[in-house]
Amino acid sequence: MRRKVTVVGAGFVGATTAQRIAEKNLADVVMIDIPEKEGPTKGKALDMLEAAPLVGFEAHIEGTSDYAAMAGSDVVVVTAGVPRRPGMTREDLISINANIIRSVTEQVVKHAPEAIYIVVTNPLDAMVYAAYKLSGFPPERVIGQSGALDSTRFRAFIAMELGVSMRDVHALVIGGHTDVGMVPLVSCSSVAGIPLTKLLPRERIDALVERTRKGGTEIVQLLGDGSAYYAPSAGVAAMVEAILLDEKRVIPSACYLRGEYGLRDLYLGVPAVLGAKGVERILEIELAPEEHEQLRKAAELVRETVSKLTL
Ligand code: APR
């Protein structure tokens, strides 16, 4: 049976996500955007589809403003919302994007009640919490894309620093999807199994951690208009692949916590096993006292952002 993924929001992140999913032949893809953007949404879908003979994929891609088109989706990804502009933090987006998440979630509940729901819209940890509360879905089926992106950035910076293959670098970033809330776990980062601390002096590692925290801001400043989309869409595609192929991949993601890491009733980035059921397990690892403290602070920040929402 053919699988189906709906991407809500056909902007930079959404369209790139749709392209990655189709080109990997993971599923047929529906892109949904607002009625005013129906033309561009259909145009992007058709443009992607016309590449299929050259790229060699079978997936169908459709663009529409009709939410009913998401019916039967295995996964729904929401990227609808406004992105950051220079000088803005992810938290500045809260009021506009919360309303968007509310209306999109109503549609997901109506048309794709069995889907696994991945949230990409920022401020991520608050938006995925809102999506969870508003949808009434079980927590394993509502997941936020954050750690996949933050960790791939950390991996890329480590690989560039050492001049080694990106594929040989593993790194784990948990915590909040904000510059201050991020918790890059140096103790869990390695190159072909060699602990990072054996390859780089502390001050270089600290610099890479700092660059990772500000990775999104670095791109916002360089682009001058809008925020990152190539690496974010790669993060989403990896999560979708793990779910559709039931891979049980360990991908740090924003998950609903029920006592893990001493935290409950909030979404925060943690190492998660992703498979057909969504978040199949949260890996609870022992953290150094300072890492635990950073995670606790990240949780506080997320709760502060969530308190601004009326759910
Ligand atoms: N339903 C469907 N689409 C919507 C809705 C809605 N209710 N509201 C807005 N959109 C669409 C916009 O029309 C636009 O096409 O969402 C799209 C967002 O695309 P961009 O403006 O290009 O933003 P993008 O860079 O893709 O970022 C989207 O992802 O990473 C996060 O912080 C980022 O929250 C932002 C989101």
Side-chain angles (χ1 to χ4, degrees), residues 8-14 32-34 37 67 79-84 93 97 100 103-104 120-122 227-228:
V8 182
F12 285 100
V13 179
I32 301 179
D33 209 296
I34 50 177
K37 293 218 178 139
Y67 275 99
T79 72
V82 291
R84 283 199 280 172
L93 307 172
N97 286 355
I100 293 175
S103 70
V104 171
V120 185
T121 305
N122 278 311
S227 55

Side-chain angles (χ1 to χ4, degrees), residues 128-140:
V128 64
Y129 181 83
Y132 164 63
K133 288 284 172 187
L134 295 165
S135 67
F137 287 2
E140 61 274 15

Side-chain angles (χ1 to χ4, degrees), residues 160-204:
M160 290 190 282
E161 173 83 13
L162 289 168
V164 301
S165 164
M166 302 262 180
R167 283 183 299 155
D168 286 333
V169 179
H170 286 278
L172 185 58
V173 180
I174 61 171
H177 191 49
T178 56
D179 297 10
V180 281
M182 239 175 256
V183 185
L185 296 180
V186 173
S187 58
C188 296
S189 304
S190 64
V191 179
I194 307 163
L196 188 58
T197 46
K198 289 194 193 273
L199 292 168
L200 282 174
R202 190 71 228 185
E203 66 274 12
R204 285 311 306 154

Side-chain angles (χ1 to χ4, degrees), residues 94-241:
I94 190 157
S95 58
I96 309 171
N97 286 355
N99 284 331
I100 293 175
I101 288 293
R102 180 186 299 280
S103 70
V104 171
T105 302
E106 275 170 21
Q107 300 295 330
V108 177
V109 170
K110 184 167 168 199
H111 297 290
E114 302 301 325
I116 290 173
Y117 191 15
I118 299 179
V119 177
V120 185
T121 305
N122 278 311
L124 191 273
D125 304 285
M127 292 300 102
V128 64
Y129 181 83
Y132 164 63
K133 288 284 172 187
L134 295 165
S135 67
F137 287 2
E140 61 274 15
R141 283 207 282 124
V142 186
I143 321 168
Q145 189 293 131
S146 53
L149 169 61
D150 301 330
S151 301
T152 194
R153 282 190 174 134
F154 194 21
R155 289 171 72 181
F157 298 149
I158 294 168
M160 290 190 282
E161 173 83 13
L162 289 168
V164 301
S165 164
M166 302 262 180
R167 283 183 299 155
D168 286 333
V169 179
H170 286 278
L172 185 58
V173 180
I174 61 171
H177 191 49
T178 56
D179 297 10
V180 281
M182 239 175 256
V183 185
L185 296 180
V186 173
S187 58
C188 296
S189 304
S190 64
V191 179
I194 307 163
L196 188 58
T197 46
K198 289 194 193 273
L199 292 168
L200 282 174
R202 190 71 228 185
E203 66 274 12
R204 285 311 306 154
I205 295 177
D206 288 346
L208 300 181
V209 163
E210 197 49 24
R211 191 172 178 193
T212 302
R213 286 183 186 285
K214 298 195 174 130
T217 305
E218 184 179 3
I219 303 288
V220 168
Q221 279 164 353
L222 286 169
L223 293 180
D225 184 25
S227 55
Y229 50 100
Y230 290 113
S233 58
V236 184
M239 293 170 75
V240 169
E241 186 167 20

